[in-house]
Amino acid sequence: MFRNLGAYLEALERRGELKRVKVPVSSDLEITEIADRMVKRGGPALLFERVVGKDFPVAIGLFGTRERTAFALGVGDLDELSEKVSRLLELKPGRGGISALMGLLPKLPLLKGFFPKRVAKAPVQEVVLKGEAVDLNRLPILKCWPLDGGPFLTLPLVITQDPETGELNLGMYRMQVLDKRSTAMHWQLHKVGRRHLEKARRLGKKLPVAVALGGDPVLTYAATAPLPPLPGVSEFHLAGFLRGAPIELVRGVTVDLPVPAEAEFVLEGYIDPEEPLVVEGPFGDHTGFYTPEDLYPRFHVTAITHRKGAIYPATIVGMPPMEDAYLIEASERLFLPPLRLVLPEVADYHMPPEGVAHNWVNVALKKEYPGQAYKVAYGMLGLGQMMFAKVIVAVDADVPVRPGFATLLKALEHALPGRDTLFLRGPIDVLDHSARAFAFGGKLLIDGTRKLPEEGGEVPWAPRVHTELPQDPEALAQRQWPGVWGITLRKARPGQAWALAERLLQTPASAGIRLLLLADHDTALTPEELLWAVLNNIDPERDARVMAGVEGPVLVLDGTRKLPEEGFHRVWPERIRMDERIKALVESRWEEYGL
């Protein structure tokens, strides 16, 4: 448990996991480039003490490694989160009455801290700014990537209350600064905050909103967690359960909402559902691509409160690995025991970073009957945010689900393309740019479990890697792994990827191959980048085909950019890349930063 962000930073510094940057740096791209380099090399968190033209320092990389995320959440390893929830959910069949109540007594210490604590005074209200004194430009809010529409708050804890039921929600939604006293609020189609706003609209009311920054890092994590809708339970309860001590809440100064007493900042205000929506974006998102401009509600800031000596917390998202991958893994571990309550045959699951959360899920199951892998996949697709999963790969319980590429290779040993692959349709993350339509698209299930006789049995297959690959003028780069063939091309005409695949699959190099991945010319042929690019750029029902190779069927995924001539009429976004001048600046100043 850390009382606040300052206590956490002190603990990181004692562990040698915090570096202070004492020279002036810019919140416009420069901090992003430094932080991106640091997280990709597994380096320490950073505290930028002097941000040009701003009044507060910036802390970033708070969850920058798996080990640091575990430390932030008060455990030695993220797997301990599963153990903690398992103890709480352990059921004793057949118990009832007094026996059942007595069985709950040993679990009560696990709920220590579950209920938030209301306080009258709070450090976050040591300084109160209202009216003309409100100026978001004083905060070192980052412009993360060159094509971003402006500065964005990237670790905001957004607090709203259901206008009808009074249920609280704490969510994390990016917020673009529009002017000194307003931001856009990125409430996507499926988000709870959006539902609260729609209810306020029907009731003819403005929706009060509070946005906290900082506090115990457990609270920041809780705002990202896919908490199921449980009456009377909010992310404040989850954070208290994880930290073993209640979250202290104080009433806002200008809004009747509870806010974290130990936060660094709180932005208070409202959203008027009758106001016109505002243009938000572009934003370099966790997918590694820019999400284009769209319309979202405007958040009006009526007050800023902060503690004396406040520190502004931030994160960046983009091409993995980024620190959001470790927050996602924390949620995996936390929600594995509840998943097993619904699907008891699940041994483990993992969302590899290359899949940027929803694009790829590996699941291992204790298989007992034919078709069980599909039953598990269908069940997972019906659970909360798992409905957005695009590709689910099922393996047997004795196969590790991480690292993702190794799991995929094992799955291919037992997955005959066509027979053991299945296409579905369903909801898709609104940030997915390749789906056939906004928030709706195809899904792919790959059954990589050992096949029972009723499923057709095992098909003999020897995965191969060929040293001699065919020379095709449109294949810019090629690489093979056991059973997998990766190819890049410069997309210039409709159907080009399929024609290239057909030519190459007729060559001897397709022997022992079950998966062919096609990507654009700017994709590096490492397993991580290739899978990241392909999974981002496919709608499986449209972009996956089973084609003939010289030794059998091959699953082909066309992960190239889609053209209007191919029937694709949505905006195809730019891939996130840092400005070369900023990269050169950071390179030249690296020793000056003290890193």
Side-chain angles (χ1 to χ4, degrees):
M1 182 188 84
F2 302 97
R3 186 161 184 83
N4 49 47
L5 177 60
Y8 177 55
L9 294 176
E10 289 173 5
L12 287 180
E13 194 160 30
R14 289 193 297 270
R15 286 166 58 97
E17 288 194 55
L18 178 73
K19 287 283 189 181
R20 295 174 179 266
V21 178
K22 299 181 180 296
V23 297
V25 294
S26 173
S27 57
D28 188 345
L29 303 181
E30 187 178 6
I31 287 178
T32 293
E33 177 63 18
I34 299 168
D36 189 29
R37 294 184 184 204
M38 197 59 73
V39 75
K40 283 183 168 51
R41 64 180 62 172
L46 301 172
L47 181 63
F48 294 94
E49 296 183 340
R50 298 167 62 191
V51 183
V52 176
K54 307 298 179 180
D55 294 353
F56 303 94
V58 170
I60 197 166
L62 306 176
F63 306 93
T65 66
R66 191 178 194 273
E67 295 74 21
R68 192 178 311 145
T69 302
F71 182 62
L73 300 185
V75 293
D77 186 271
L78 291 179
D79 287 327
E80 292 178 31
L81 296 173
S82 296
E83 297 165 12
K84 186 170 185 176
V85 177
S86 292
R87 291 196 300 272
L88 184 65
L89 296 179
E90 187 179 19
L91 302 177
K92 300 293 184 183
R95 281 190 170 183
I98 293 296
S99 177
L101 290 175
M102 295 300 290
L104 289 174
L105 290 178
K107 299 181 180 182
L108 291 181
L110 293 172
L111 292 174
K112 180 184 177 184
F114 183 76
F115 296 100
K117 177 183 177 182
R118 298 289 182 129
V119 296
K121 298 182 69 175
V124 77
Q125 294 175 348
E126 289 173 339
V127 179
V128 177
L129 305 169
K130 299 181 184 178
E132 292 297 319
V134 172
D135 185 358
L136 293 172
N137 295 325
R138 294 180 54 219
L139 276 62
I141 301 170
L142 304 185
K143 180 179 180 183
C144 300
W145 301 106
L147 301 184
D148 282 357
F152 281 82
L153 289 89
T154 53
L155 277 183
L157 315 181
V158 181
I159 303 160
T160 56
Q161 190 167 32
D162 189 303
E164 294 176 338
T165 68
E167 296 279 354
L168 285 172
N169 181 68
L170 179 71
M172 187 171 291
Y173 319 102
R174 74 185 192 223
M175 299 166 59
Q176 180 181 345
V177 176
L178 301 175
D179 53 45
K180 292 170 60 174
R181 287 188 286 278
S182 73
T183 77
M185 184 66 75
H186 194 257
W187 276 340
Q188 301 168 19
L189 180 64
H190 307 98
K191 300 302 183 182
V192 175
R194 176 162 174 166
R195 291 202 295 271
H196 288 179
L197 184 63
E198 291 306 311
K199 287 189 176 184
R201 185 192 312 278
R202 291 197 297 269
L203 295 172
K205 297 179 177 180
K206 295 179 181 177
L207 183 70
V209 179
V211 179
L213 297 162
D216 187 333
V218 165
L219 188 60
T220 299
Y221 161 71
T224 73
L227 190 67
L230 301 171
V233 177
S234 73
E235 290 76 9
F236 291 123
H237 296 87
L238 173 61
F241 164 67
L242 291 175
R243 73 199 298 263
I247 295 292
E248 293 185 352
L249 300 175
V250 67
R251 184 186 179 279
V253 173
T254 62
V255 293
D256 188 15
L257 287 170
V259 300
E262 290 287 344
E264 300 293 304
F265 298 87
V266 171
L267 316 181
E268 300 181 3
Y270 66 90
I271 295 177
D272 184 348
E274 297 304 319
E275 271 191 340
L277 300 176
V278 296
V279 175
E280 190 261 11
F283 177 69
D285 223 315
H286 76 279
T287 60
F289 289 80
Y290 287 94
T291 48
E293 290 183 350
D294 207 344
L295 298 175
Y296 284 94
R298 182 189 292 266
F299 168 55
H300 296 271
V301 183
T302 55
I304 298 178
T305 72
H306 65 85
R307 61 196 310 143
K308 294 177 181 177
I311 299 170
Y312 176 81
T315 188
I316 57 171
V317 292
M319 184 176 171
M322 290 285 194
E323 60 183 314
D324 59 324
Y326 307 114
L327 294 171
I328 291 166
E329 189 170 350
S331 288
E332 284 178 13
R333 302 302 92 197
L334 189 67
F335 290 100
L336 177 59
L339 174 63
R340 287 172 172 160
L341 286 180
V342 181
L343 299 166
E345 62 266 65
V346 170
D348 203 357
Y349 78 110
H350 177 53
M351 294 179 282
E354 304 94 296
V356 296
H358 300 124
N359 286 347
W360 180 11
V361 182
N362 287 333
V363 58
L365 63 139
K366 304 164 192 170
K367 184 171 175 178
E368 297 177 343
Y369 52 82
Q372 194 169 6
Y374 298 109
K375 179 256 193 185
V376 167
Y378 299 150
M380 293 179 74
L381 288 171
L383 295 175
Q385 292 190 28
M386 195 61 73
M387 68 178 175
F388 300 129
K390 186 189 287 189
V391 176
I392 296 181
V393 178
V395 292
D396 289 294
D398 60 347
V399 177
V401 292
R402 66 174 68 81
F405 186 58
T407 306
L408 178 61
L409 294 181
K410 291 296 293 183
L412 291 174
E413 294 179 11
H414 306 285
L416 181 65
R419 187 192 70 175
D420 303 323
T421 52
L422 182 67
F423 300 106
L424 305 171
R425 296 177 193 162
I428 294 292
D429 188 351
V430 301
L431 299 179
D432 189 295
H433 61 263
S434 61
R436 68 177 66 212
F438 176 75
F440 176 62
K443 299 173 182 292
L444 169 64
L445 308 182
I446 300 176
D447 179 3
T449 61
R450 297 178 185 90
K451 297 303 175 296
L452 300 173
E454 298 88 345
E455 298 171 311
E458 290 287 295
V459 176
W461 177 67
R464 294 179 60 185
V465 174
H466 299 267
T467 55
E468 295 288 333
L469 296 178
Q471 298 301 307
D472 188 292
E474 292 190 339
L476 299 183
Q478 303 180 59
R479 185 177 176 184
Q480 289 188 342
W481 302 265
V484 178
W485 192 354
I487 300 167
T488 63
L489 64 145
R490 190 175 295 276
K491 184 78 170 279
R493 63 183 187 278
Q496 182 180 357
W498 298 122
L500 175 60
E502 188 171 12
R503 293 196 301 273
L504 295 178
L505 288 177
Q506 297 309 305
T507 70
S510 73
I513 297 296
R514 277 189 170 172
L515 179 63
L516 176 62
L517 302 172
L518 297 151
D520 287 309
H521 64 280
D522 55 357
T523 304
L525 284 182
T526 63
E528 296 79 14
E529 184 163 338
L530 178 61
L531 285 163
W532 163 79
V534 170
L535 292 167
N536 261 302
N537 291 345
I538 61 167
D539 181 317
E541 193 178 11
R542 180 194 64 218
D543 300 322
R545 296 181 186 177
V546 177
M547 303 177 71
V550 296
E551 282 189 354
V554 177
L555 177 64
V556 182
L557 301 182
D558 174 11
T560 61
R561 181 188 190 98
K562 303 305 175 296
L563 305 175
E565 296 88 342
E566 295 172 307
F568 189 86
H569 299 292
R570 301 178 64 207
V571 173
W572 194 271
E574 293 292 326
R575 177 174 168 174
I576 297 172
R577 290 182 174 84
M578 181 52 76
D579 188 300
E580 291 296 328
R581 291 171 298 177
I582 297 297
K583 292 168 69 173
L585 171 69
V586 168
E587 188 71 31
S588 68
R589 297 191 67 192
W590 195 256
E591 290 189 11
E592 185 184 354
Y593 300 140
L595 302 176

